[in-house]
Amino acid sequence: AGIHLLLPAGGGHSAGGDEMTFDVLDETTLARLGNIDVWVSVYWDEPYNSEGSFTLEVRPTEENLSLLREGRWLVRTDAATRVPMRICHRSNENEDANLVVTGYPATWIFTKRVSASAIKNENAEAAMLALAKAAAPWPKLEVAEPKGFDTTFEQQTSGNTLFDYFKTVGAACDLGFRVVLMGKNSAKKLLFEVWRPTADPNNRFSTKWGSLREAAWAFGDGSYANVALVLGAGEGKDRAMVWAGDTEAEGAQRREMIVDARDIQPEDGETVKSDSYLKKLADRGASKLLEQLRTGSIEMTLDADGLEPGDVCFCSLPDLGYKATVRVADIIIQSQTDGTTRTARLGTPVWHKI
């Protein structure tokens, strides 16, 4: 489920004035090694709390081949917030033998850092920053001070790459995370931060104003469940079981499912009747219910320039009787010889009846 917004942008494959170009920075010192201002094509995806990526295709000149190497950083010179992208792969396996480099935002660093720490019922921002601080150092990388978001991560996660921790916690708590380039010259550094833009009431879009067009939609509740009977250790009538979810739901509003959680066994003196053990089963049930939500997708085109990752959009479809508040999940810039487009991909909204 998602929404795509097409945002007009000028420019072409050769930049000039204040248009987009790309500085190339050294992998460890962040020193500026050169600049790319002519290309065949660009795909540049800056995310709010997911992977993101980029692809840059250039002519295979001696300068480009020397400059665009694995490990180096690309930074958009026109960006208000500089999000470096790391070159992870390069090839010339295409019809024109052009140089094609691909990679990811600097949060890629955290795909190469792991932890066994368990995060549960903790302040989400504090937990993410603590994981980043505890990781093995990376050249020029620092961790930002907390901004004071008070959201608690109520589920549990452990044993993963730091990127997967951040993605899980960020998605659950509506928090973004990114690594930005700060400072100039020898004072340049990479700064990891957790962020959440405040909602701008001007970002309102509706079919009745003409700012929201070409809506295509689909809704369904055939797989929806809101109550889970979780079965744990034991056999027959001695098997542990617990109800989870909206257990007070009745009649047509009650949708039940079975969850086999035999893999969760009592430990440290627990029995199948221990509250602590039954709580683990209930947590599993709650997690499985998240996979059985009502489905709903609406795709549309919005007339809106200037949106950035994490911005909140208020969308209204009065003819369908729905409204939603949703964050921008990605800003995608694509540039070729015939011009540049700027697209916003919205996260999965929760649509409400008006």
Side-chain angles (χ1 to χ4, degrees), residues 31 44 64 88 281:
W44 188 271
N64 285 341
C88 293
L281 296 183

Side-chain angles (χ1 to χ4, degrees), residues 314-329:
F314 304 94
C315 302
S316 175
L317 295 164
D319 47 339
L320 263 184
Y322 279 93
K323 63 178 179 179
T325 301
V326 60
R327 285 196 186 275
V328 176

Side-chain angles (χ1 to χ4, degrees), residues 79-234:
T81 301
R82 297 178 295 171
V83 175
M85 297 263 194
R86 184 186 188 274
I87 299 174
C88 293
H89 183 267
R90 58 183 184 146
S91 73
N92 71 343
E93 297 172 342
N94 56 80
E95 185 177 345
D96 300 316
N98 286 333
L99 173 61
V100 177
V101 295
T102 60
Y104 305 97
T107 48
W108 171 91
I109 291 169
F110 295 107
T111 68
K112 304 304 174 187
R113 294 289 184 265
V114 300
S115 175
S117 297
I119 307 298
K120 183 177 182 181
N121 292 328
E122 295 182 38
N123 177 277
E125 181 191 25
M128 294 165 80
L129 296 177
L131 283 167
K133 284 183 178 178
W138 188 279
K140 295 276 189 174
L141 176 65
E142 299 181 11
V143 178
E145 292 299 312
K147 297 178 175 63
F149 302 120
D150 61 1
T151 315
T152 298
F153 179 67
E154 295 176 347
Q155 293 120 320
Q156 179 171 339
T157 186
S158 64
N160 226 321
T161 67
L162 297 197
F163 183 90
D164 283 335
Y165 275 99
F166 300 155
K167 188 176 173 182
T168 298
V169 176
C173 299
D174 189 28
L175 288 169
F177 60 92
R178 62 187 177 186
V179 172
V180 295
L181 179 68
M182 306 291 287
K184 294 183 178 180
N185 303 322
S186 61
K188 282 199 291 253
K189 64 182 180 182
L190 301 173
L191 187 69
F192 173 73
E193 65 176 5
V194 177
W195 60 305
R196 182 198 285 147
T198 54
D200 181 346
N202 294 318
N203 291 337
R204 293 186 177 276
F205 309 94
S206 176
T207 48
K208 68 180 180 182
W209 303 323
S211 58
L212 187 158
R213 296 172 284 110
E214 301 169 10
W217 51 270
F219 297 97
D221 72 348
S223 299
Y224 172 63
N226 58 357
V227 182
L229 177 58
V230 189
L231 305 178

Side-chain angles (χ1 to χ4, degrees), residues 227-244:
V227 182
L229 177 58
V230 189
L231 305 178
E235 299 294 338
K237 61 180 177 52
D238 295 323
R239 190 168 185 187
M241 62 180 67
V242 64
W243 290 96

